[in-house]
Amino acid sequence: MRNTFGHLFTLTTFGESHGAAIGGVVDGMPAGIEVDMEFIQSELNRRRPGQSRVTTSRNEADQVELLSGVFEGKTTGCPIGFIVRNQNQHSQDYENLRTLFRPSHSDFTYYNKYGTRDHRGGGRSSARITISRVVGGALAKLALRQLGVTIQAYTSQVGDIALERDYHLYDLSLTETNAMRCPDTEKAKEMEELVMKVKADGDTIGGVITCVIKGCPVGLGEPEFGKLHTQLGSAMLSINAVKGFEYGEGFAGVTQRGSEQNDRFVSCHDMTTNPKITTATNHSGGIQGGISNGQDIYFRVAFKPVATLLRPQDTVDIEGNATTFTAQGRHDPCVLPRAVPVVEAMAAMTILDCFLCQKSSIL
């Protein structure tokens, strides 16, 4: 199994949903970065279960323990090992799934690939594994602070309730003020009501997360197969339940002509009156030719409805016999609110990795 992300800044993850702990090793973290443990824990708290009525009721503190790579509050440049211990598993809730293949889960594919599987909460394929990504992303964000790079994701659609595509229309600082992590408070209320209705039906619903990266320097990304949007897309599509990725105008741009889509270059001046080249528009989403151009990078990530339903479903067992089952346990009716920090984490690790690769190629 491939359990390592990145080239120079890397994250290797380990653990299962109902194992002893979730953890990872971050390598390539620059030395001398101040480690803000409160910030790292706050990022995990944004992902943790039991936050509100629209998330799973599993009660986990998700307290991170750093094991190495930090001395006197700063990174040493050595690998940073960490763990988050599992404390509130209800493994018995999954006993009826030991010999069943749940619809749209990894049960069937894992079993056929490896000849075995951990049926307790999905094991290695559980969304709980994203804990490691959030820790790695928090460390990457601490490094990106020194470069002036900020990353903000938010829920932009749940079901058919959607925000306007232009992120400039919203105050993104309002994202953390409601359970849906949506910067439009009125739309957030509608989204929450929809999620609660779906939950009452024993069903689930999907949506879209939009992410905006500001302050990214020009020149990140590689030609051909290492394009920046390729790396961002790969990172996002590796997240549980993700079904689609688009950046810039994306699919909406296909209805326009080139004369409408082209980002025209213009000159501007900074505080020292030195000329600077920028673009009048940003339909490209901050990336041209696979390389960052200094504009905001923005993209959208589509999440499917959670596959675990609290209602009867038809399936088969490992012998191929038809059967019906009803899932038990504690599950999210909508993954979007808890996925926001995961999207940010993957974006942060991708940008930092690309920056280190660019710096290495220059040196």
Side-chain angles (χ1 to χ4, degrees), residues 2 51 84 93 166 176-177 189 207 225 264 274 281 304:
R2 183 174 178 180
Q51 297 177 45
V84 173
D93 289 343
D166 186 354
E176 294 296 319
T177 63
K189 292 177 183 177
F225 300 114
R264 180 170 50 89
N274 292 323
T281 55
K304 71 172 184 176

Side-chain angles (χ1 to χ4, degrees), residues 171-183:
D171 180 357
L172 301 189
S173 67
L174 297 176
T175 299
E176 294 296 319
T177 63
N178 57 75
M180 296 306 302
R181 292 202 162 90
C182 172

Side-chain angles (χ1 to χ4, degrees), residues 1-12:
M1 296 177 69
R2 183 174 178 180
N3 299 295
T4 300
F5 172 84
H7 299 90
L8 295 184
F9 179 92
T10 65
L11 168 68
T12 301

Side-chain angles (χ1 to χ4, degrees), residues 321-343:
N321 301 311
T323 185
T324 301
F325 85 105
T326 300
Q328 303 176 37
R330 301 155 296 175
H331 307 281
D332 290 282
C334 177
V335 74
L336 275 296
R338 295 176 62 212
V340 165
V342 181
V343 168

Side-chain angles (χ1 to χ4, degrees), residues 83-358:
I83 59 170
V84 173
R85 300 182 189 277
N86 293 323
Q87 298 176 327
N88 190 231
Q89 307 102 314
H90 287 181
S91 299
Q92 67 276 7
D93 289 343
Y94 300 89
E95 191 57 33
N96 66 325
L97 306 179
R98 182 182 290 273
T99 61
L100 299 180
F101 294 137
R102 294 170 296 172
S104 290
H105 283 77
S106 64
D107 300 348
F108 176 78
T109 51
Y110 266 55
Y111 183 77
N112 279 271
K113 181 176 178 66
Y114 300 107
T116 184
R117 68 181 177 91
D118 185 346
H119 65 282
R120 305 167 302 167
R124 184 66 175 156
S125 66
S126 169
R128 186 157 176 76
I129 306 305
T130 58
I131 283 174
S132 299
R133 300 172 182 233
V134 173
V135 175
L139 290 167
K141 283 185 177 182
L142 291 175
L144 290 174
R145 280 182 183 176
Q146 299 193 0
L147 302 176
V149 178
T150 61
I151 300 171
Q152 175 71 69
Y154 61 93
T155 301
S156 55
Q157 182 172 345
V158 174
D160 59 359
I161 302 173
L163 274 59
E164 296 292 334
R165 292 176 62 92
D166 186 354
Y167 63 90
H168 294 97
L169 299 175
Y170 302 98
D171 180 357
L172 301 189
S173 67
L174 297 176
T175 299
E176 294 296 319
T177 63
N178 57 75
M180 296 306 302
R181 292 202 162 90
C182 172
D184 185 321
T185 54
E186 291 304 313
K187 288 284 188 180
K189 292 177 183 177
E190 294 179 32
M191 291 176 179
E192 185 170 346
E193 290 173 2
L194 174 59
V195 171
M196 294 310 297
K197 180 179 184 301
V198 167
K199 181 180 180 180
D201 292 337
D203 216 332
T204 62
I205 196 164
V208 175
I209 289 175
T210 297
C211 186
V212 182
I213 304 173
K214 293 180 174 291
C216 186
V218 179
L220 302 192
E222 302 294 332
E224 197 60 12
F225 300 114
K227 292 179 172 65
L228 180 55
H229 58 268
T230 304
Q231 297 186 59
L232 283 169
S234 177
M236 298 307 143
L237 289 166
S238 74
I239 300 172
N240 306 56
V242 169
K243 287 295 186 180
F245 169 85
E246 63 175 359
Y247 73 103
E249 291 298 320
F251 288 103
V254 303
T255 61
Q256 296 181 320
R257 299 187 179 189
S259 56
E260 299 173 288
Q261 278 281 297
N262 283 356
D263 293 319
R264 180 170 50 89
F265 288 104
V266 296
S267 295
C268 62
H269 292 79
D270 59 24
M271 296 296 290
T272 62
T273 71
N274 292 323
K276 179 183 178 182
I277 296 175
T278 185
T279 56
T281 55
N282 188 23
H283 300 296
S284 301
I287 303 172
Q288 293 171 325
I291 299 171
S292 61
N293 67 2
Q295 291 277 16
D296 291 352
I297 296 171
Y298 62 95
F299 57 85
R300 291 156 52 88
V301 186
F303 285 78
K304 71 172 184 176
V306 177
T308 301
L309 311 182
L310 300 182
R311 57 163 62 180
Q313 295 186 78
D314 294 329
T315 188
V316 298
D317 61 21
I318 59 176
E319 301 297 332
N321 301 311
T323 185
T324 301
F325 85 105
T326 300
Q328 303 176 37
R330 301 155 296 175
H331 307 281
D332 290 282
C334 177
V335 74
L336 275 296
R338 295 176 62 212
V340 165
V342 181
V343 168
E344 291 180 4
M346 296 307 297
M349 290 191 289
T350 300
I351 295 299
L352 179 57
D353 189 36
C354 287
F355 175 80
L356 294 175
C357 289
Q358 174 68 7

Side-chain angles (χ1 to χ4, degrees), residues 37-52 55 60-64 84 131 134-135 138 176 181 337-339 341-342:
M37 288 301 299
E38 289 188 6
F39 172 73
I40 296 174
Q41 188 59 53
S42 70
E43 292 292 274
L44 278 172
N45 291 345
R46 295 170 68 208
R47 194 225 70 93
R48 70 181 293 270
Q51 297 177 45
S52 69
T55 65
E60 293 276 8
D62 287 353
Q63 191 73 36
V64 64
V84 173
I131 283 174
V134 173
V135 175
E176 294 296 319
R181 292 202 162 90
R338 295 176 62 212
V342 181

